[in-house]
Amino acid sequence: MSKRANKLVIVTEKVLLKKVAQIIDECGATGYTVVDTGGKGSRNVRSTGKPNVSDTDSNVKFEVLTETREMAEKIADQVAIKFFTDYAGIIYICEAEVLYGRTFCGPDGC
């Protein structure tokens, strides 16, 4: 069995890590995953290449599973409105099926 979910992905500047995490928590998501990332976009190349004196020049990618599309859109809207005028970022939503995940599916699984 599986449980349908929405996977919200937010890629933005690492300096926003705590602020984006706070929005996700306040919107009621049960959790998220964050990884360091890099790449190229409209604002040029961002690299996670080491060594680096400061982490402010790198990006992070959040992945958030939500039960409803409305929750995913609420998180996305708040992040975009608060930060994407002044900081680089992209947000997208994908359909997902959760196969295992005690917190997301419940104690009996999906």
Side-chain angles (χ1 to χ4, degrees):
M1 295 288 293
S2 64
K3 183 175 182 179
R4 291 208 175 273
N6 299 277
K7 181 171 87 168
L8 175 68
V9 178
I10 304 167
V11 180
T12 191
E13 298 179 36
K14 191 170 187 175
V15 70
L16 297 177
L17 185 127
K18 289 181 181 179
K19 293 177 181 180
V20 172
Q22 182 177 358
I23 290 172
I24 294 168
D25 289 338
E26 289 172 352
C27 287
T30 57
Y32 53 85
T33 300
V34 181
V35 293
D36 285 325
T37 190
K40 181 181 179 199
S42 63
R43 295 188 183 197
N44 278 326
V45 175
R46 302 284 287 199
S47 174
T48 60
K50 305 292 186 218
N52 192 354
V53 177
S54 170
D55 277 338
T56 60
D57 290 336
S58 62
N59 288 346
V60 290
K61 177 172 81 170
F62 286 85
E63 292 187 2
V64 186
L65 291 175
T66 64
E67 290 191 40
T68 66
R69 185 172 179 96
E70 291 76 21
M71 180 186 289
E73 289 178 354
K74 181 178 178 182
I75 294 167
D77 289 345
Q78 287 190 26
V79 170
I81 289 167
K82 288 185 179 181
F83 304 119
F84 284 4
T85 300
D86 299 316
Y87 297 92
I90 188 168
I91 302 174
Y92 56 94
I93 299 173
C94 305
E95 291 183 11
E97 291 184 54
V98 178
L99 301 175
Y100 303 99
R102 184 176 181 90
T103 302
F104 197 84
C105 296
D108 298 325
C110 298

